[in-house]
Amino acid sequence: AQNVGMNLSDTTGDAVSKATGAHINGTDYKTFMLYLSKMTINQDVNLDDANDAYNQLEISNSSITNAANQTMTGIQANDVAMAQENNSSLYTRDKVRLTNKGSINLSGTGSTGIYGKFGELYNKATGIMTVGDKSTAIYGTGDSIIENEGQITIGSSSTGLYSEGSVTKAITNKSTGIIESSGNDSVAISYKPK
């Protein structure tokens, strides 16, 4: 689907069957491919469960919002809660807007809460992000805008906000934003210009 807005709860196999009359048999398939669209996560997500509705989607060049009171959880190494890349020669930056208004809890080593290339990456005032050791809460490349208004807790050798390849230098921890470390050798904000 292209240029649509959807709730995660509307993408399950049962929801697709009810809406279209089609019955899907089998395993290892994607229920939807979203392109230049907007996905709202309106139910909890287990990133480590292949059968979770969120993991059944293919999302490209789109915006994703984790709604308030929803939790995205992962305990495995290298988990990523939200990730999207944008083509700066084809689309404006706001085509990829990744927003956390709920909770993102990633305890595995090497995890990333939000990753975006040439996008807008937000942890809103109601957003709570927790990442483990050697992890990054919000990671932006390609002149992404990064903004924290909420609470971020990082483990040892981790980074709260990381920007690489930025021309606009748009990385901000707002007055309500809190970045704290539960470990050692961590960095709140890191900026590597283009």
Side-chain angles (χ1 to χ4, degrees):
Q2 183 172 336
N3 293 314
V4 299
M6 298 186 80
N7 288 324
L8 180 59
S9 61
D10 296 330
T11 67
T12 64
D14 289 340
V16 172
S17 294
K18 289 176 185 173
T20 64
H23 182 69
I24 301 171
N25 286 322
T27 59
D28 197 29
Y29 63 87
K30 300 292 183 185
T31 56
F32 275 97
M33 195 290 186
L34 299 175
Y35 180 70
L36 295 173
S37 296
K38 295 178 181 176
M39 166 60 57
T40 299
I41 299 170
N42 65 336
Q43 63 189 41
D44 291 343
V45 170
N46 180 350
L47 296 167
D48 302 328
D49 179 359
N51 295 315
D52 189 284
Y54 184 70
N55 297 324
Q56 295 288 315
L57 301 175
E58 189 70 36
I59 306 172
S60 178
N61 222 107
S62 295
S63 294
I64 304 169
T65 298
N66 184 34
N69 302 315
Q70 304 306 317
T71 302
M72 302 179 79
T73 305
I75 61 170
Q76 296 179 0
N78 305 312
D79 273 336
V80 178
M82 292 184 227
Q84 291 291 292
E85 293 194 343
N86 194 2
N87 187 331
S88 62
S89 62
L90 295 176
Y91 304 110
T92 57
R93 185 186 291 116
D94 64 349
K95 289 294 182 186
V96 168
R97 185 175 287 149
L98 306 177
T99 306
N100 179 46
K101 296 179 180 178
S103 296
I104 296 175
N105 298 317
L106 306 177
S107 57
T109 301
S111 295
T112 303
I114 298 174
Y115 165 79
K117 179 180 178 183
F118 192 59
E120 297 177 7
L121 317 178
Y122 301 108
N123 187 40
K124 293 297 189 178
T126 57
I128 299 170
M129 300 179 73
T130 304
V131 295
D133 296 342
K134 298 179 183 174
S135 298
T136 304
I138 303 178
Y139 188 123
T141 65
D143 209 22
S144 289
I145 293 172
I146 301 171
E147 187 175 286
N148 176 46
E149 295 178 85
Q151 181 176 340
I152 294 174
T153 303
I154 55 178
S156 293
S157 302
S158 295
T159 304
L161 308 178
Y162 180 79
S163 175
E164 183 175 322
S166 179
V167 176
T168 58
K169 302 176 189 165
I171 183 169
T172 308
N173 190 55
K174 296 284 193 176
S175 63
T176 58
I178 298 169
I179 301 173
E180 59 187 8
S181 176
S182 61
N184 300 311
D185 300 321
S186 294
V187 176
I189 301 173
S190 182
Y191 170 71
K192 182 178 178 184
K194 187 171 182 177

